[in-house]
Amino acid sequence: GTSDLSTYSATPNACGGPVTETWTATDVCGRPLTSVSRIITVSPAALPTMTALAATTVACGGLPAPSTIPFTNGLSGGCEISGTSDLSTFSATPNSCGGPVTETWTAIDVCGRPLASVSRIITVSPAALPTMTPLADITVACGTVFTASTIPFTNGLSGGCEISGTSNSSTFTSTPGVCGGPVTETWTATDVCGRTLATVMRIITVDPAALPTMTALAPITVDCGSLPSPGTIPFSNGLGGGCEISGTSNLSTFSTFPSSGCGPVTETWTATDACGRPLAPVSRIITVQDVTPPVVTAGTIASCYNTVAAAEAAAIAATTATDNCAAALSYSASTNTTSCDFEIVVTVTDQCSNSSSVSYTTLNNCQTVRLKVFLEGPYNVGTGLMDPTLNVNHVLPGQDKLLSPNLSVQLAAPFTPFGQPYNIAPWSYFGTEGNNYGDPSSPSAPGTVIPYPADVVDWVLVTVRKDGILPANNIWTCAGLVHADGTVTFPDFCPGLVFLNTSSYYLLVQHRNHLGILTPGLASMTCNGQVVNWDFTTSNSYEPIFRYGQKHLSTGKWAMHAANGEQITSIAAISSSDRTVWKAFQGAYGYNIGDYNMSAFTESGGDESIWKINQNKTSGVIFY
């Protein structure tokens, strides 16, 4: 037969265990057989496993709270074992320096079996690196002693993560000298975690020593030429404690030595100190003095001059002088003018106003024949002078008629040749006076042309007679220019005239269309017998009985009679031949002997009328 179905003593759980399987049976006889059994050992479920959390990094103070993690064996059909681990444990509690911490989970499953523990590494970051704040930049005086210092540092955190401390003592890059300069003060530090903090620094500006000063030498006064040699002076800033700067200036320089030989000279010292800084220059005034006048020596000048300017120029040129100073000397002249002499004083002055003088005396005017005469024709009773009409109309010898303001003169007058007009009969005087007088534009102008002075009226011919009034007594003749005020000048030197104190002299004056005149007596001798002179304008000339000298004018002055145009046959008389001359030139422009009023035009209303008034006037002078 067969047994009954077996029975089990138990149904094991996930932990497994022994199970008895028993069989019983009754035979056919109904008799129970002896039961039999076997042991079935049921193995427990596989040991569950845990999976640790992933490794992580946390900030200082950020360690997580203990935790559990699930575990399971991953089976089913009544064999799964699930649960959670014990709370995790940590291997350490890190400080502000951080570090690795092991987090470990352990567990016992429902079967009482310990699971394999699992762990993870939690890396705790150290606290933030602390920082230092340097002291503020400063400026200190020269000589300041630097003392090393420390400054605090902190990372400013809390909750066990703060790191505080102080830096190492500061260090300095240099120890400046008297010139100062920047010094860098540097702080370094290592925190409790052994980490090097960022270096901080500040600039300490050390001022240079005070700028030294110089004291100039005292002002002095020296004589001309005694300027001292350039020198040096000391300088110092007068400080101590390593900040003193001393030295000497550059060689002094002098302002330009006064050209006058006296005056102020500035002596100036300059310097640069050890720091290359220019010091304030200092100066002193050296007064150069000159109290010695020049030594002046008179030279020799000519016996006469025509103008003060010429006489003074000659006197200055003849004067020599020396002076103790090299500066230029100035020469000046002052003149006391008398009717005879130029009394000249030449003064030589150095530029310090010291002066010495010498004197000269020379004849005033080299013209030793001096006279005044009026010509009736051009005499103007309104002005008391003669009108230079011929000159204005450019018809005098050598002038260019085309420069005349009168168009009729320009068109109709002939050109008057150069030279004085008495080189023809009856005068036949061949002196070269006037050969250069006129206008450069006139035909046949020589190389050098001298314009007539504006007040020149015409030419006259002057003769000196010695010890008698006859032609045989003639010793000198010269052509001269008569000016509006009657003064006669001789533009060129006429030689051969020497006056003797034992002789007497007469002056004869002739004009080309006026009746000649002679001094009424001996001409005046002046200037110690060096000059003969006569003023015909203030009194009548030589006038023997039944003859005429000059015309007495309404102004009280005297003038030569006009209208003596023909002088070859009737030089001593104004006669009908003079009217013939006038008539021959009637209506003509230019330098004509028939132009008795000397208007540059020969006409009846002026020239013939003068002839009518003066006809039959006869001179007592014997001309030739």
Side-chain angles (χ1 to χ4, degrees):
T2 56
S3 67
D4 295 330
L5 286 171
S6 60
T7 60
Y8 297 96
S9 60
T11 302
N13 58 15
C15 294
V19 174
T20 301
E21 184 178 16
T22 303
W23 288 271
T24 64
T26 303
D27 64 16
V28 290
C29 294
R31 296 172 295 173
L33 277 64
T34 303
S35 62
V36 292
S37 299
R38 65 170 178 175
I39 299 300
I40 299 174
T41 301
V42 180
S43 295
L47 191 65
T49 59
M50 294 181 289
T51 301
L53 299 179
T56 185
T57 298
V58 298
C60 176
L63 199 64
S67 63
T68 61
I69 56 174
F71 62 80
T72 179
N73 57 7
L75 301 177
S76 62
C79 287
E80 60 271 22
I81 298 177
S82 299
T84 56
S85 68
D86 298 331
L87 285 173
S88 59
T89 59
F90 298 93
S91 61
T93 302
N95 59 14
S96 57
C97 295
V101 174
T102 302
E103 183 178 15
T104 302
W105 288 269
T106 59
I108 297 174
D109 67 8
V110 294
C111 302
R113 298 176 295 175
L115 276 65
S117 62
V118 294
S119 300
R120 69 167 174 175
I121 299 299
I122 299 174
T123 302
V124 180
S125 296
L129 193 64
T131 58
M132 296 181 286
T133 300
L135 301 180
D137 291 348
I138 58 172
T139 298
V140 298
C142 174
T144 300
V145 177
F146 297 128
T147 302
S149 63
T150 60
I151 56 175
F153 63 79
T154 179
N155 57 6
L157 301 177
S158 60
C161 287
E162 59 276 355
I163 298 177
S164 301
T166 53
S167 67
N168 299 324
S169 293
S170 58
T171 58
F172 302 92
T173 55
S174 62
T175 303
V178 293
C179 298
V183 175
T184 303
E185 183 177 14
T186 303
W187 289 270
T188 58
T190 302
D191 68 6
V192 295
C193 305
R195 297 175 298 174
T196 300
L197 277 65
T199 299
V200 295
M201 58 190 66
R202 71 165 170 177
I203 300 299
I204 300 174
T205 300
V206 181
D207 286 335
L211 192 66
T213 58
M214 297 182 286
T215 301
L217 300 181
I220 58 173
T221 298
V222 300
D223 290 332
C224 178
S226 301
L227 203 64
S229 299
T232 60
I233 56 174
F235 64 78
S236 173
N237 59 1
L239 303 177
C243 288
E244 56 279 296
I245 298 178
S246 300
T248 53
S249 69
N250 301 323
L251 283 174
S252 59
T253 57
F254 297 91
S255 63
T256 303
F257 188 84
S259 59
S260 62
C262 61
V265 174
T266 303
E267 182 178 15
T268 302
W269 289 269
T270 57
T272 303
D273 69 5
C275 305
R277 298 175 296 175
L279 277 62
V282 295
S283 302
R284 69 165 170 175
I285 299 299
I286 299 176
T287 302
V288 180
Q289 65 179 4
D290 175 19
V291 295
T292 304
V295 177
V296 183
T297 303
T300 301
I301 63 174
S303 60
C304 66
Y305 292 92
N306 289 322
T307 65
V308 170
E312 290 183 346
I316 289 174
T319 303
T320 58
T322 59
D323 192 52
N324 63 316
C325 289
L329 301 174
S330 62
Y331 292 71
S332 63
S334 61
T335 301
N336 178 38
T337 301
T338 69
S339 60
C340 292
D341 298 321
F342 292 137
E343 297 170 352
I344 307 164
V345 176
V346 175
T347 301
V348 180
T349 306
D350 65 21
Q351 296 193 30
C352 300
S353 300
N354 305 304
S355 62
S356 299
S357 301
V358 291
S359 299
Y360 299 86
T361 299
T362 184
L363 190 62
N364 170 5
N365 196 336
C366 294
Q367 184 170 307
T368 55
V369 177
R370 304 179 188 177
L371 69 151
K372 290 182 70 174
V373 64
F374 280 146
L375 303 175
E376 178 191 6
Y379 184 80
N380 186 326
V381 296
T383 63
L385 302 171
M386 291 181 286
D387 294 329
T389 308
L390 300 179
N391 194 353
V392 171
N393 282 278
H394 288 264
V395 294
L396 290 176
Q399 288 187 315
D400 182 0
K401 65 167 187 170
L402 299 179
L403 299 178
S404 171
N406 189 325
L407 181 60
S408 296
V409 172
Q410 296 180 31
L411 296 175
F415 283 101
T416 308
F418 281 81
Q420 52 82 18
Y422 299 103
N423 54 7
I424 58 176
W427 309 283
S428 300
Y429 171 71
F430 298 102
T432 60
E433 300 93 276
N435 285 357
N436 294 98
Y437 276 77
D439 296 318
S441 57
S442 183
S444 304
T448 300
V449 176
I450 303 172
Y452 284 99
D455 68 339
V456 167
V457 176
D458 200 1
W459 290 89
V460 293
L461 190 64
V462 180
T463 298
V464 176
R465 291 180 173 177
K466 174 183 175 185
D467 296 330
I469 63 173
L470 299 177
N473 299 102
N474 291 354
I475 62 168
W476 180 86
T477 299
C478 195
L481 296 171
V482 62
H483 298 260
D485 66 350
T487 300
V488 176
T489 61
F490 299 97
D492 295 309
F493 177 69
C494 295
L497 182 60
V498 178
F499 294 116
L500 299 176
N501 289 334
T502 57
S503 296
S504 56
Y505 300 93
Y506 302 84
L507 296 180
L508 172 67
V509 180
Q510 299 179 79
H511 182 259
R512 60 194 179 91
N513 61 13
H514 282 62
L515 195 62
I517 58 176
L518 182 71
T519 50
L522 299 181
S524 301
M525 298 299 298
T526 58
C527 304
N528 296 320
Q530 299 180 81
V531 174
V532 60
N533 58 46
W534 194 262
D535 186 350
F536 286 98
T537 70
T538 60
S539 61
N540 197 7
S541 60
Y542 173 70
E543 185 181 272
I545 191 170
F546 303 124
R547 297 290 185 268
Y548 290 90
Q550 296 187 96
K551 175 176 283 191
H552 194 208
L553 304 173
S554 61
T555 61
K557 296 294 184 179
W558 296 80
M560 295 172 68
H561 286 94
N564 190 20
E566 196 287 308
Q567 297 189 20
I568 295 177
T569 62
S570 60
I571 191 171
I574 298 173
S575 60
S576 60
S577 59
D578 297 307
R579 184 180 185 280
T580 300
V581 168
W582 161 77
K583 192 171 183 179
F585 287 98
Q586 184 179 8
Y589 290 89
Y591 189 65
N592 299 324
I593 58 174
D595 179 17
Y596 298 145
N597 65 2
M598 298 169 64
S599 65
F601 178 62
T602 304
E603 82 282 16
S604 61
D607 300 315
E608 184 184 21
S609 296
I610 291 177
W611 174 82
K612 288 178 179 179
I613 294 172
N614 289 341
Q615 65 174 321
N616 299 322
K617 298 296 188 294
T618 302
S619 172
V621 178
I622 299 175
F623 294 96
Y624 298 102

